[in-house]
Amino acid sequence: QVQVVQSGTEVKKPGSSVQVSCKASGGTFSNHAISWVRQAPGQGPEWMGGVIPVFGTLNYAQKFQGRVTITTDESTSTVYMELSSLRSEDTAVYYCARHGGNYYFHGMDVWGQGTTVTVSS
Amino acid sequence: QSALTQPASVSGSPGQSITISCTGTTNDVGSYNHVSWYQQHPGKAPKVMIFEVSNRPSGVSNRFSGSKSGNTASLTISGLQAEDGADYYCSSYTNTSTLWVFGGGTQLTVL
């Protein structure tokens, strides 16, 4: 049973960047789409973008275009999400989630434990 | 403001049934059967309870069921148990650049 393990808590200054990693444990991501979803305190989740490793496809929500970059390292089954020009509104828990197949329309069935990112001066 | 509209809270007594609605548009819920429901306990990651409108992953109780009519999806939990108390979020695939949208969440209280 694959698990998704994310990197640890981050505290960042406004204007800086943060990179969060997401690694498959007990399996690979190769035949699955992977999405990044964030959840601000007391809010519903928000889809940020995703990657389909087998096709090399990258997709970003318009809201985050130009600020978010998703990359992959297939040799280690790790996906990275970098968010730049951080502001206080980016304070949230960031989740990596695996889709049930190699297209985004498959629902997200396995979620990482979440990475808390706090942006504060 | 979330793209999908859910009631902020619902409650029920043990053994009762409750239904949570999720209203979207023709860009999402109304056009696709790619609707999922997630359960989230405080400080935990979301857990999928229903996918493709009405399918349950293995290991999820058959007390959980989903349906859809037009632009509105619904999650029904029957035979409420104390451990069902949590936040529930609906999600739908969309035809916009934001490929998945979520509801604002419904807090379920088991009385």
Side-chain angles (χ1 to χ4, degrees), chain A residues 59-80:
Chain A
N59 296 82
Y60 301 118
Q62 185 173 21
K63 175 178 178 177
F64 298 100
Q65 284 274 3
R67 275 213 306 148
V68 67
T69 304
I70 295 172
T71 55
T72 61
D73 182 345
E74 293 192 52
S75 68
T76 60
S77 291
T78 303
V79 179
Y80 300 89

mmCIF file of all heavy atoms in Angstrom, chain A residues 59-80:
data_model
loop_
_atom_site.group_PDB
_atom_site.id
_atom_site.type_symbol
_atom_site.label_atom_id
_atom_site.label_comp_id
_atom_site.label_asym_id
_atom_site.label_seq_id
_atom_site.Cartn_x
_atom_site.Cartn_y
_atom_site.Cartn_z
ATOM 1 N N ASN A 59 0.310 21.103 -14.917
ATOM 2 C CA ASN A 59 -0.852 21.992 -14.949
ATOM 3 C C ASN A 59 -0.879 22.827 -13.674
ATOM 4 O O ASN A 59 -0.625 22.301 -12.591
ATOM 5 C CB ASN A 59 -2.155 21.189 -15.062
ATOM 6 C CG ASN A 59 -2.268 20.430 -16.344
ATOM 7 O OD1 ASN A 59 -1.713 19.335 -16.484
ATOM 8 N ND2 ASN A 59 -2.958 20.999 -17.300
ATOM 9 N N TYR A 60 -1.197 24.103 -13.837
ATOM 10 C CA TYR A 60 -1.268 25.005 -12.696
ATOM 11 C C TYR A 60 -2.600 25.745 -12.703
ATOM 12 O O TYR A 60 -3.095 26.149 -13.757
ATOM 13 C CB TYR A 60 -0.123 26.032 -12.733
ATOM 14 C CG TYR A 60 1.262 25.433 -12.714
ATOM 15 C CD1 TYR A 60 2.142 25.636 -13.772
ATOM 16 C CD2 TYR A 60 1.698 24.666 -11.638
ATOM 17 C CE1 TYR A 60 3.421 25.105 -13.757
ATOM 18 C CE2 TYR A 60 2.970 24.120 -11.614
ATOM 19 C CZ TYR A 60 3.830 24.336 -12.675
ATOM 20 O OH TYR A 60 5.094 23.792 -12.648
ATOM 21 N N ALA A 61 -3.177 25.939 -11.533
ATOM 22 C CA ALA A 61 -4.354 26.779 -11.420
ATOM 23 C C ALA A 61 -3.973 28.210 -11.781
ATOM 24 O O ALA A 61 -2.867 28.672 -11.446
ATOM 25 C CB ALA A 61 -4.919 26.729 -10.008
ATOM 26 N N GLN A 62 -4.874 28.902 -12.450
ATOM 27 C CA GLN A 62 -4.573 30.256 -12.919
ATOM 28 C C GLN A 62 -4.129 31.158 -11.763
ATOM 29 O O GLN A 62 -3.242 31.981 -11.918
ATOM 30 C CB GLN A 62 -5.798 30.848 -13.598
ATOM 31 C CG GLN A 62 -5.548 32.207 -14.237
ATOM 32 C CD GLN A 62 -6.732 32.686 -15.058
ATOM 33 O OE1 GLN A 62 -7.857 32.235 -14.874
ATOM 34 N NE2 GLN A 62 -6.486 33.622 -15.957
ATOM 35 N N LYS A 63 -4.731 30.951 -10.594
ATOM 36 C CA LYS A 63 -4.417 31.787 -9.438
ATOM 37 C C LYS A 63 -2.938 31.730 -9.076
ATOM 38 O O LYS A 63 -2.381 32.699 -8.561
ATOM 39 C CB LYS A 63 -5.269 31.342 -8.243
ATOM 40 C CG LYS A 63 -4.954 32.038 -6.938
ATOM 41 C CD LYS A 63 -5.870 31.570 -5.827
ATOM 42 C CE LYS A 63 -5.517 32.249 -4.500
ATOM 43 N NZ LYS A 63 -6.455 31.850 -3.413
ATOM 44 N N PHE A 64 -2.290 30.592 -9.351
ATOM 45 C CA PHE A 64 -0.913 30.397 -8.912
ATOM 46 C C PHE A 64 0.091 30.452 -10.061
ATOM 47 O O PHE A 64 1.295 30.312 -9.832
ATOM 48 C CB PHE A 64 -0.791 29.058 -8.185
ATOM 49 C CG PHE A 64 -1.630 28.973 -6.945
ATOM 50 C CD1 PHE A 64 -2.854 28.317 -6.959
ATOM 51 C CD2 PHE A 64 -1.215 29.572 -5.773
ATOM 52 C CE1 PHE A 64 -3.642 28.254 -5.827
ATOM 53 C CE2 PHE A 64 -1.988 29.516 -4.625
ATOM 54 C CZ PHE A 64 -3.213 28.855 -4.651
ATOM 55 N N GLN A 65 -0.397 30.646 -11.276
ATOM 56 C CA GLN A 65 0.491 30.724 -12.436
ATOM 57 C C GLN A 65 1.570 31.782 -12.205
ATOM 58 O O GLN A 65 1.292 32.898 -11.801
ATOM 59 C CB GLN A 65 -0.304 31.105 -13.691
ATOM 60 C CG GLN A 65 -1.119 29.992 -14.288
ATOM 61 C CD GLN A 65 -0.322 29.117 -15.250
ATOM 62 O OE1 GLN A 65 0.875 29.309 -15.432
ATOM 63 N NE2 GLN A 65 -0.983 28.160 -15.865
ATOM 64 N N GLY A 66 2.812 31.402 -12.466
ATOM 65 C CA GLY A 66 3.924 32.323 -12.294
ATOM 66 C C GLY A 66 4.540 32.297 -10.909
ATOM 67 O O GLY A 66 5.642 32.811 -10.714
ATOM 68 N N ARG A 67 3.854 31.709 -9.950
ATOM 69 C CA ARG A 67 4.395 31.656 -8.581
ATOM 70 C C ARG A 67 4.688 30.240 -8.118
ATOM 71 O O ARG A 67 5.447 30.036 -7.180
ATOM 72 C CB ARG A 67 3.399 32.273 -7.579
ATOM 73 C CG ARG A 67 3.471 33.750 -7.423
ATOM 74 C CD ARG A 67 3.150 34.197 -6.005
ATOM 75 N NE ARG A 67 1.880 33.701 -5.491
ATOM 76 C CZ ARG A 67 1.667 33.415 -4.212
ATOM 77 N NH1 ARG A 67 2.644 33.556 -3.316
ATOM 78 N NH2 ARG A 67 0.475 32.988 -3.806
ATOM 79 N N VAL A 68 4.078 29.252 -8.760
ATOM 80 C CA VAL A 68 4.261 27.874 -8.336
ATOM 81 C C VAL A 68 4.993 27.088 -9.425
ATOM 82 O O VAL A 68 4.763 27.284 -10.615
ATOM 83 C CB VAL A 68 2.919 27.205 -7.989
ATOM 84 C CG1 VAL A 68 2.044 27.039 -9.213
ATOM 85 C CG2 VAL A 68 3.141 25.874 -7.296
ATOM 86 N N THR A 69 5.887 26.232 -8.984
ATOM 87 C CA THR A 69 6.625 25.354 -9.892
ATOM 88 C C THR A 69 6.623 23.946 -9.315
ATOM 89 O O THR A 69 7.009 23.740 -8.151
ATOM 90 C CB THR A 69 8.072 25.829 -10.081
ATOM 91 O OG1 THR A 69 8.077 27.186 -10.540
ATOM 92 C CG2 THR A 69 8.788 24.950 -11.104
ATOM 93 N N ILE A 70 6.190 23.001 -10.122
ATOM 94 C CA ILE A 70 6.173 21.590 -9.702
ATOM 95 C C ILE A 70 7.212 20.844 -10.523
ATOM 96 O O ILE A 70 7.261 20.983 -11.752
ATOM 97 C CB ILE A 70 4.770 20.982 -9.898
ATOM 98 C CG1 ILE A 70 3.770 21.675 -8.968
ATOM 99 C CG2 ILE A 70 4.801 19.472 -9.628
ATOM 100 C CD1 ILE A 70 2.317 21.280 -9.226
ATOM 101 N N THR A 71 8.038 20.080 -9.839
ATOM 102 C CA THR A 71 9.061 19.283 -10.511
ATOM 103 C C THR A 71 9.032 17.863 -9.955
ATOM 104 O O THR A 71 8.437 17.603 -8.901
ATOM 105 C CB THR A 71 10.460 19.886 -10.305
ATOM 106 O OG1 THR A 71 10.707 20.037 -8.888
ATOM 107 C CG2 THR A 71 10.584 21.243 -10.964
ATOM 108 N N THR A 72 9.675 16.966 -10.699
ATOM 109 C CA THR A 72 9.696 15.566 -10.268
ATOM 110 C C THR A 72 11.105 15.000 -10.364
ATOM 111 O O THR A 72 11.925 15.452 -11.173
ATOM 112 C CB THR A 72 8.766 14.702 -11.133
ATOM 113 O OG1 THR A 72 9.222 14.758 -12.500
ATOM 114 C CG2 THR A 72 7.332 15.191 -11.079
ATOM 115 N N ASP A 73 11.377 14.014 -9.533
ATOM 116 C CA ASP A 73 12.596 13.219 -9.609
ATOM 117 C C ASP A 73 12.135 11.772 -9.612
ATOM 118 O O ASP A 73 11.878 11.183 -8.558
ATOM 119 C CB ASP A 73 13.513 13.503 -8.417
ATOM 120 C CG ASP A 73 14.809 12.723 -8.486
ATOM 121 O OD1 ASP A 73 14.898 11.753 -9.275
ATOM 122 O OD2 ASP A 73 15.740 13.070 -7.742
ATOM 123 N N GLU A 74 11.993 11.219 -10.806
ATOM 124 C CA GLU A 74 11.425 9.871 -10.899
ATOM 125 C C GLU A 74 12.358 8.816 -10.322
ATOM 126 O O GLU A 74 11.903 7.751 -9.907
ATOM 127 C CB GLU A 74 11.060 9.569 -12.352
ATOM 128 C CG GLU A 74 9.911 10.444 -12.841
ATOM 129 C CD GLU A 74 9.325 9.984 -14.170
ATOM 130 O OE1 GLU A 74 8.967 8.797 -14.291
ATOM 131 O OE2 GLU A 74 9.237 10.817 -15.078
ATOM 132 N N SER A 75 13.643 9.120 -10.272
ATOM 133 C CA SER A 75 14.596 8.141 -9.726
ATOM 134 C C SER A 75 14.350 7.885 -8.250
ATOM 135 O O SER A 75 14.681 6.805 -7.733
ATOM 136 C CB SER A 75 16.033 8.614 -9.937
ATOM 137 O OG SER A 75 16.309 9.752 -9.151
ATOM 138 N N THR A 76 13.765 8.878 -7.577
ATOM 139 C CA THR A 76 13.482 8.725 -6.152
ATOM 140 C C THR A 76 11.988 8.789 -5.869
ATOM 141 O O THR A 76 11.587 8.841 -4.704
ATOM 142 C CB THR A 76 14.196 9.823 -5.338
ATOM 143 O OG1 THR A 76 13.726 11.107 -5.775
ATOM 144 C CG2 THR A 76 15.713 9.735 -5.491
ATOM 145 N N SER A 77 11.159 8.792 -6.913
ATOM 146 C CA SER A 77 9.701 8.892 -6.754
ATOM 147 C C SER A 77 9.321 10.063 -5.856
ATOM 148 O O SER A 77 8.501 9.924 -4.935
ATOM 149 C CB SER A 77 9.136 7.580 -6.185
ATOM 150 O OG SER A 77 9.232 6.547 -7.124
ATOM 151 N N THR A 78 9.931 11.203 -6.129
ATOM 152 C CA THR A 78 9.689 12.407 -5.330
ATOM 153 C C THR A 78 9.165 13.521 -6.231
ATOM 154 O O THR A 78 9.668 13.728 -7.339
ATOM 155 C CB THR A 78 10.969 12.868 -4.618
ATOM 156 O OG1 THR A 78 11.464 11.799 -3.804
ATOM 157 C CG2 THR A 78 10.694 14.080 -3.735
ATOM 158 N N VAL A 79 8.164 14.217 -5.732
ATOM 159 C CA VAL A 79 7.605 15.379 -6.415
ATOM 160 C C VAL A 79 7.839 16.600 -5.520
ATOM 161 O O VAL A 79 7.712 16.503 -4.291
ATOM 162 C CB VAL A 79 6.101 15.205 -6.692
ATOM 163 C CG1 VAL A 79 5.523 16.435 -7.389
ATOM 164 C CG2 VAL A 79 5.854 13.954 -7.528
ATOM 165 N N TYR A 80 8.182 17.716 -6.139
ATOM 166 C CA TYR A 80 8.464 18.950 -5.406
ATOM 167 C C TYR A 80 7.502 20.047 -5.840
ATOM 168 O O TYR A 80 7.120 20.141 -7.003
ATOM 169 C CB TYR A 80 9.900 19.415 -5.668
ATOM 170 C CG TYR A 80 10.960 18.423 -5.263
ATOM 171 C CD1 TYR A 80 11.412 17.453 -6.159
ATOM 172 C CD2 TYR A 80 11.507 18.459 -3.980
ATOM 173 C CE1 TYR A 80 12.391 16.540 -5.793
ATOM 174 C CE2 TYR A 80 12.492 17.547 -3.607
ATOM 175 C CZ TYR A 80 12.921 16.595 -4.518
ATOM 176 O OH TYR A 80 13.890 15.689 -4.145
#
